[in-house]
Structure formats: structure tokens, C-alpha cells
Amino acid sequence: MSLVLRLLHALPPEAAHRTTIAALRLGVVVGDRDPPDPVLESRLWGRSFVNPIGLAAGFDKHAEAIDPLLRLGFGCVEIGSVTPRPQEGNPRPRLFRLAEDRGVINRMGFPGQGLDAARSRLAVRPRRGFVGVNVGANKDSTDRAADYVTCSVALAPYADYLVCNVSSPNTPGLRNLQGRTQLADLLKRVQDAIAARPVPLLVKIAPDASDDDLDDIVAVCRELRMDGIIVGNTTLSRPPSLRSPRREEAGGLSGAPLMALSTDVLRRTARRVEQQFPLIGCGGVGSGADAYAKIRAGASLVQVYTAFIYEGPGLPRHLERGLARLLARDGLELSEAVGKDA
């Protein structure tokens, strides 16, 4: 670990995160300036990506550092989750490093500056790169589906894709929206609301989904002709292999301990989707081999977050190189590798 990362990890996690965002905005953080490998260029939703490595929602919650993050080498950056009104989220402490396990537990609860702050930043930046907008609901909302509609309508003009996040474990009752009836109602309302300005619409699901859950979720998405599913969010499960003294903290677990579970759920989702729409693989990716495993399990794009905390700004290029080597080893084009093991 570099000296800078050691200094950041000496800070409480949320303070380290704020410091990193500030450094990105000021241009202090720079990544590898090598040009992207054309082998990794991919095409999705009628658009080209320089590579299939994206930054998951949760890092740039308020759309403060999109362009510096893209310059690090990410093929796409997803901001949010954005809620209609600002909210504090859950009480601190609510974010915990599991350094021994290369993991994180969070119970943030969608803290954020709200819709107006995100929209004002998105509205003034030139449209470049590929930027997703992840939307959620306020904790005290009496009509959570309406919150998703409000955010989607307001932010669709600035998004290359929208994500309805119904899988955070840290807002009470939110995962109930993954039920077949509730999910169909929510997604249909959002689809109808953005019909005048359509953008690709995805839903982000939990890695704790059972086979019955997946049957319902995929059936709804196929019926509504959704544009994709992100598999998955953080997990409430705790693998017995965890070593960190923080392993019993309440909240969602992310990082390396999630890789096997999230990839298995991705593969099971891909079998049900049958290539009707693309999948994004998220959860536990920390190497080119991990990214390749997600792609072979059915992901057209891969997202990272927790590994970025531990590896720093060189992570996107490191993943790109590792992925390119593995594709070359197996004599595959990127598109040929998608779903190879599903």
C-alpha cells in the first residue's frame, strides 16, 4: 500500500472518503495516463465504452468528481444514490473497513445532498464519458415509488443510464420493493414517467436473492423490456472466513468476501435472462481475473468500489491490463467472453 493510502486509512473511513473526493476535484489524484486498450472497447445501448470497468454508485454520491474519475480510466461512472430530499442517513459510525478481509461494512442509509444538488452539478458539466445515475427513496417517504419517479424524471436529461436501487439493506423496507408486484409497479411508473425522454433503465438487486426472488425479478424485467439488471448490492450474509474484528457490525458487506456469492447470483440471473438484456456484475471485483469471472458469468459491464478504497487510483488500469491478458490467453473477443460460463 502506498504512503498516501496508508495516510488515508489512518483517518476514519468517512473522513478519508471526503478527503479523496476533495483531492479528485482539485486534480491532486491522477491515474495511469496510458491510452485505453482497444481490445476492451465495448458497445452497449447503442453507445461505445472505452472499457467495461465501471465505478459503482456510492463513491461519488453527489456527482462531485465525475470527470476526474473518468480520467483515472473507468469506462463509466455511476453517481448516487440520489434521493429527492437531502437526508442525513443513519447515525455514525456507519462505515467500517475490514482490512484483513479486503472488505467494508456500511449502514449509511442513503445520506445525501438531495436531488437539486446532484442536478445542478450534472447540468453544468459537458456531456462526455458514460455516466449512470442511481436513484433511491427517502427513508421517511410515504410513497417510495414516487421518489424514484421524481428523481428519474429530473435526472434523465443528464444520464446515460438510470438505475433504480431497490436493494440497499440500510433503508428499512426498501428490499421489499424487489417483490414481484411492488417491483413491477415501481418500474412501470418510472418507464411511463421518462417515456418522453427515454434513457436505458436498469434495476439494482441484492446478492442475497433466492431462486424464487430471481424468478420474479427477471420475469418482471423481461415483461417490461427493461434495459438491464445490476447484480448486486451489498450482502447481509457473513462468510465464516471473515477475520476482521469488525465482521459483526450491522450493515451490508462489500469487497472481496462478496465475490463468490455475487458471481453465483449473476450467473443464475444470466440463465434466466437468456440474453434478452445486458447485465452489470458488481460485488467483490479486485483483479483482472475477478472482472473476467464476472464477464464469463454473464456481465457485459463490471463495477468496482471497495477495491478502489484499498488499491487507489491505479485500480482501473490494473484491471484493464489483467482482463486484456486473460482474453488474449483464451483467444476471445470481449463480446465472445460474455456469458461463456453461464
Side-chain angles (χ1 to χ4, degrees):
M1 185 183 292
S2 71
L3 176 60
V4 172
L5 283 176
R6 283 199 294 270
L7 291 172
L8 282 172
H9 284 208
L11 298 173
E14 287 197 62
H17 182 260
R18 290 194 299 270
T19 300
T20 303
I21 292 289
L24 285 162
R25 293 178 64 188
L26 292 171
V28 174
V29 178
V30 295
D32 192 326
R33 298 187 183 277
D34 286 350
D37 190 330
V39 168
L40 297 181
E41 185 174 331
S42 57
R43 192 164 180 83
L44 208 58
W45 305 310
R47 294 281 304 277
S48 293
F49 294 73
V50 294
N51 66 65
I53 308 298
L55 181 63
F59 184 83
D60 191 5
K61 297 177 188 295
H62 317 306
E64 297 175 281
I66 294 170
D67 294 301
L69 288 164
L70 287 169
R71 286 194 289 271
L72 294 183
F74 287 110
C76 60
V77 170
E78 188 175 309
I79 65 113
S81 294
V82 179
T83 55
R85 290 174 284 107
Q87 62 181 21
E88 289 297 320
N90 293 326
R92 294 179 172 85
R94 56 194 182 181
L95 183 63
F96 309 92
R97 301 186 194 98
L98 280 63
E100 299 88 344
D101 306 295
R102 308 289 281 181
V104 165
I105 291 175
N106 92 83
R107 50 174 181 265
M108 301 294 286
F110 285 170
Q113 299 171 4
L115 170 58
D116 289 342
R119 177 169 50 189
S120 66
R121 295 186 181 108
L122 290 167
V124 298
R125 68 172 290 271
R127 291 294 292 269
R128 55 177 169 245
F130 206 87
V131 178
V133 175
N134 183 303
V135 299
N138 282 111
K139 182 177 181 178
D140 60 355
S141 175
T142 56
D143 185 350
R144 285 182 169 167
D147 283 9
Y148 288 89
V149 169
T150 297
C151 288
S152 297
V153 170
L155 298 175
Y158 315 108
D160 294 304
Y161 67 94
L162 288 169
V163 182
C164 291
N165 182 0
V166 296
S167 52
S168 170
N170 302 311
T171 297
L174 192 78
R175 286 191 172 186
N176 294 339
L177 295 173
Q178 294 178 123
R180 186 165 186 156
T181 302
Q182 300 95 317
L183 185 63
D185 174 68
L186 186 156
L187 296 178
K188 184 64 165 64
R189 287 172 67 176
V190 174
Q191 281 184 331
D192 290 346
I194 65 171
R197 187 187 284 270
V199 297
L201 179 64
L202 292 77
V203 62
K204 185 169 185 173
I205 68 171
D208 304 316
S210 67
D211 283 336
D212 288 343
D213 294 333
L214 292 178
D215 287 343
D216 287 343
I217 290 166
V218 173
V220 168
C221 290
R222 291 184 65 158
E223 288 165 10
L224 293 177
R225 299 187 178 183
M226 290 287 288
D227 298 293
I229 297 176
I230 300 180
V231 186
N233 211 312
T234 58
T235 180
L236 290 172
S237 66
R238 296 292 184 268
S241 59
L242 293 178
R243 296 174 294 154
S244 170
R246 293 289 198 179
R247 62 186 177 273
E248 298 299 333
E249 292 286 351
L253 171 67
S254 62
L258 180 55
M259 178 64 190
L261 173 64
S262 60
T263 306
D264 178 61
V265 177
L266 171 65
R267 187 179 298 107
R268 290 189 281 130
T269 304
R271 290 171 182 157
R272 289 164 169 80
V273 168
E274 298 178 309
Q275 300 182 333
Q276 294 300 301
F277 48 75
L279 301 176
I280 297 179
C282 183
V285 174
S287 67
D290 292 337
Y292 191 43
K294 294 282 191 192
I295 289 166
R296 291 184 65 106
S300 295
L301 296 174
V302 173
Q303 290 183 334
V304 301
Y305 181 173
T306 301
F308 191 43
I309 295 170
Y310 289 106
E311 299 295 332
L315 177 68
R317 297 301 192 199
H318 172 68
L319 296 183
E320 286 179 58
R321 294 187 187 107
L323 178 57
R325 282 195 297 269
L326 290 167
L327 287 167
R329 181 198 69 186
D330 293 345
L332 294 174
E333 299 288 336
L334 182 60
S335 60
E336 294 173 328
V338 175
K340 195 78 171 173
D341 296 337

